Coordinates of all heavy atoms in Angstrom, one line a residue:
I72 N 30.6 -40.2 -40.7 CA 30.2 -41.5 -40.4 C 30.2 -41.9 -39.0 O 29.6 -42.9 -38.6 CB 31.0 -42.6 -41.2 CG1 32.5 -42.5 -40.8 CG2 30.9 -42.4 -42.7 CD1 33.4 -43.6 -41.5
A73 N 30.8 -41.1 -38.1 CA 30.8 -41.4 -36.7 C 29.4 -41.3 -36.1 O 28.6 -40.4 -36.5 CB 31.8 -40.4 -36.0
E74 N 29.1 -42.2 -35.2 CA 27.8 -42.2 -34.5 C 27.8 -41.0 -33.5 O 28.6 -41.0 -32.6 CB 27.5 -43.5 -33.9 CG 26.1 -43.7 -33.4 CD 25.8 -45.1 -32.9 OE1 26.8 -45.9 -32.7 OE2 24.7 -45.4 -32.6
L75 N 26.8 -40.1 -33.6 CA 26.8 -38.9 -32.8 C 25.4 -38.6 -32.2 O 25.0 -37.5 -32.0 CB 27.3 -37.7 -33.6 CG 28.8 -37.6 -33.7 CD1 29.2 -36.5 -34.7 CD2 29.4 -37.2 -32.3
G76 N 24.7 -39.7 -32.0 CA 23.4 -39.6 -31.4 C 22.9 -40.9 -30.9 O 23.4 -41.9 -31.3
P77 N 21.9 -40.9 -30.0 CA 21.4 -42.1 -29.3 C 20.5 -43.0 -30.2 O 20.2 -44.1 -29.8 CB 20.7 -41.6 -28.1 CG 20.1 -40.3 -28.5 CD 21.2 -39.7 -29.5
S78 N 19.9 -42.4 -31.3 CA 18.9 -43.2 -32.0 C 19.2 -43.1 -33.5 O 18.4 -42.7 -34.3 CB 17.5 -42.6 -31.7 OG 17.5 -41.2 -31.9
G79 N 20.5 -43.4 -33.9 CA 20.8 -43.5 -35.3 C 21.3 -42.3 -36.0 O 21.2 -42.2 -37.2
Q80 N 21.7 -41.3 -35.2 CA 22.3 -40.1 -35.8 C 23.7 -40.3 -36.1 O 24.5 -40.6 -35.2 CB 22.1 -38.9 -34.8 CG 20.7 -38.4 -34.6 CD 20.0 -39.1 -33.6 OE1 20.5 -39.9 -32.8 NE2 18.7 -39.0 -33.5
F81 N 24.1 -40.1 -37.4 CA 25.5 -40.3 -37.8 C 26.0 -39.1 -38.5 O 25.3 -38.4 -39.3 CB 25.5 -41.5 -38.8 CG 25.3 -42.9 -38.2 CD1 24.0 -43.3 -38.1 CD2 26.4 -43.6 -37.8 CE1 23.8 -44.6 -37.5 CE2 26.2 -44.9 -37.3 CZ 24.9 -45.4 -37.1
G82 N 27.2 -38.7 -38.1 CA 27.8 -37.6 -38.7 C 27.6 -36.3 -38.0 O 26.7 -36.2 -37.2
A83 N 28.4 -35.3 -38.3 CA 28.4 -34.0 -37.6 C 27.1 -33.3 -37.8 O 26.5 -32.7 -36.8 CB 29.5 -33.1 -38.1
E84 N 26.5 -33.3 -39.0 CA 25.3 -32.6 -39.2 C 24.1 -33.1 -38.4 O 23.4 -32.4 -37.7 CB 25.0 -32.6 -40.7 CG 23.9 -31.6 -41.1 CD 24.4 -30.1 -41.1 OE1 25.5 -29.9 -40.6 OE2 23.6 -29.2 -41.5
A85 N 23.9 -34.4 -38.5 CA 22.8 -35.0 -37.8 C 23.0 -34.9 -36.3 O 22.0 -34.7 -35.5 CB 22.6 -36.5 -38.2
G86 N 24.2 -35.1 -35.8 CA 24.5 -35.0 -34.4 C 24.3 -33.6 -33.9 O 23.7 -33.4 -32.8
S87 N 24.7 -32.6 -34.7 CA 24.5 -31.2 -34.3 C 23.1 -30.8 -34.2 O 22.6 -30.2 -33.3 CB 25.3 -30.3 -35.2 OG 25.1 -29.0 -34.9
I88 N 22.3 -31.2 -35.2 CA 20.9 -30.9 -35.3 C 20.1 -31.5 -34.1 O 19.3 -30.9 -33.5 CB 20.3 -31.3 -36.6 CG1 20.8 -30.4 -37.7 CG2 18.8 -31.2 -36.6 CD1 20.5 -30.8 -39.1
Y89 N 20.5 -32.8 -33.8 CA 19.8 -33.5 -32.7 C 20.2 -32.8 -31.4 O 19.3 -32.6 -30.5 CB 20.2 -35.0 -32.7 CG 19.7 -35.7 -31.4 CD1 18.4 -36.1 -31.4 CD2 20.5 -35.8 -30.3 CE1 17.9 -36.7 -30.2 CE2 20.1 -36.5 -29.2 CZ 18.7 -36.9 -29.1 OH 18.3 -37.5 -28.0
A90 N 21.5 -32.5 -31.2 CA 21.9 -32.0 -29.9 C 21.5 -30.5 -29.6 O 21.1 -30.2 -28.5 CB 23.4 -32.2 -29.7
F91 N 21.7 -29.7 -30.7 CA 21.6 -28.3 -30.5 C 20.5 -27.6 -31.4 O 20.3 -26.4 -31.3 CB 22.9 -27.6 -30.8 CG 24.1 -28.3 -30.0 CD1 25.1 -28.9 -30.7 CD2 24.1 -28.2 -28.7 CE1 26.1 -29.5 -30.1 CE2 25.2 -28.8 -28.0 CZ 26.2 -29.5 -28.7
G92 N 19.9 -28.4 -32.3 CA 18.8 -27.9 -33.1 C 19.3 -26.9 -34.2 O 18.5 -26.1 -34.8
R93 N 20.6 -27.0 -34.6 CA 21.1 -26.2 -35.6 C 22.3 -26.9 -36.3 O 22.8 -27.9 -35.8 CB 21.6 -24.8 -35.1 CG 22.5 -24.9 -33.9 CD 22.5 -23.5 -33.2 NE 23.3 -23.5 -32.0 CZ 24.6 -23.2 -32.0 NH1 25.2 -22.9 -33.1 NH2 25.2 -23.2 -30.8
P94 N 22.6 -26.5 -37.6 CA 23.6 -27.2 -38.4 C 25.0 -27.1 -37.8 O 25.3 -26.2 -37.0 CB 23.5 -26.5 -39.7 CG 22.9 -25.2 -39.5 CD 22.0 -25.3 -38.3
S95 N 25.9 -28.0 -38.2 CA 27.2 -28.0 -37.7 C 28.1 -26.9 -38.1 O 29.1 -26.6 -37.5 CB 27.9 -29.3 -38.1 OG 27.9 -29.5 -39.5
S96 N 27.7 -26.1 -39.2 CA 28.4 -25.0 -39.6 C 28.4 -23.8 -38.6 O 29.2 -22.9 -38.6 CB 27.9 -24.5 -40.9 OG 26.5 -24.1 -40.8
T97 N 27.4 -23.9 -37.7 CA 27.2 -22.8 -36.7 C 27.8 -23.1 -35.3 O 27.6 -22.3 -34.4 CB 25.7 -22.5 -36.5 OG1 25.0 -23.6 -35.9 CG2 25.0 -22.2 -37.9
L98 N 28.4 -24.3 -35.2 CA 28.8 -24.7 -33.8 C 30.0 -23.8 -33.3 O 30.9 -23.5 -34.1 CB 29.3 -26.1 -33.9 CG 28.2 -27.2 -34.1 CD1 28.9 -28.6 -34.1 CD2 27.1 -27.1 -33.1
G99 N 29.9 -23.4 -32.1 CA 31.0 -22.7 -31.4 C 31.9 -23.7 -30.7 O 31.7 -24.9 -30.7
P100 N 32.9 -23.2 -30.0 CA 33.9 -24.0 -29.3 C 33.2 -24.9 -28.3 O 33.6 -26.1 -28.2 CB 34.8 -23.0 -28.6 CG 34.7 -21.8 -29.4 CD 33.3 -21.7 -29.9
R101 N 32.3 -24.4 -27.5 CA 31.7 -25.2 -26.4 C 30.9 -26.4 -27.0 O 31.0 -27.5 -26.6 CB 30.8 -24.4 -25.5 CG 30.2 -25.2 -24.4 CD 29.3 -24.3 -23.5 NE 28.6 -25.1 -22.5 CZ 27.5 -25.7 -22.7 NH1 26.9 -25.6 -23.8 NH2 26.9 -26.4 -21.7
E102 N 30.0 -26.1 -28.0 CA 29.2 -27.1 -28.6 C 30.0 -28.2 -29.3 O 29.7 -29.4 -29.2 CB 28.2 -26.5 -29.6 CG 27.1 -25.6 -29.0 CD 27.5 -24.2 -28.9 OE1 28.7 -23.9 -29.2 OE2 26.7 -23.3 -28.6
S103 N 31.1 -27.7 -29.9 CA 32.0 -28.7 -30.6 C 32.6 -29.6 -29.6 O 32.8 -30.8 -29.8 CB 33.1 -27.9 -31.4 OG 32.5 -27.1 -32.4
A104 N 33.1 -29.1 -28.5 CA 33.7 -29.9 -27.4 C 32.7 -30.8 -26.8 O 33.1 -32.0 -26.5 CB 34.3 -29.0 -26.3
L105 N 31.5 -30.4 -26.7 CA 30.4 -31.4 -26.1 C 30.2 -32.5 -27.1 O 30.1 -33.7 -26.6 CB 29.1 -30.6 -25.9 CG 29.1 -29.7 -24.7 CD1 27.8 -28.8 -24.7 CD2 29.1 -30.5 -23.4
L106 N 30.1 -32.3 -28.4 CA 30.0 -33.4 -29.3 C 31.2 -34.3 -29.3 O 31.0 -35.5 -29.3 CB 29.8 -32.8 -30.7 CG 28.4 -32.4 -31.2 CD1 28.4 -31.9 -32.6 CD2 27.4 -33.5 -31.0
A107 N 32.4 -33.7 -29.2 CA 33.6 -34.6 -29.1 C 33.6 -35.4 -27.9 O 34.0 -36.6 -27.9 CB 34.8 -33.7 -29.2
A108 N 33.0 -34.9 -26.8 CA 33.0 -35.6 -25.5 C 32.1 -36.9 -25.5 O 32.3 -37.8 -24.7 CB 32.6 -34.7 -24.4
I109 N 31.1 -36.9 -26.4 CA 30.2 -38.1 -26.4 C 30.7 -39.2 -27.4 O 30.1 -40.3 -27.4 CB 28.8 -37.7 -26.7 CG1 28.6 -37.3 -28.2 CG2 28.3 -36.6 -25.8 CD1 27.2 -37.1 -28.7

């Protein structure tokens, strides 16, 4: 439910797809840290 994008992206899956073009199941340490930082 956390907002993770600039135009209505909510949650890890939508945020990950918007930021990196792939699902949250594939995130590595760096991508995860970048999402946490925003």
Side-chain angles (χ1 to χ4, degrees):
I72 62 177
E74 192 175 9
L75 278 169
S78 52
Q80 290 83 14
F81 289 86
E84 193 73 355
S87 177
I88 290 173
Y89 173 80
F91 309 115
R93 49 197 177 91
S95 58
S96 60
T97 66
L98 294 180
R101 180 180 177 275
E102 293 91 350
S103 298
L105 285 170
L106 276 182
I109 70 169

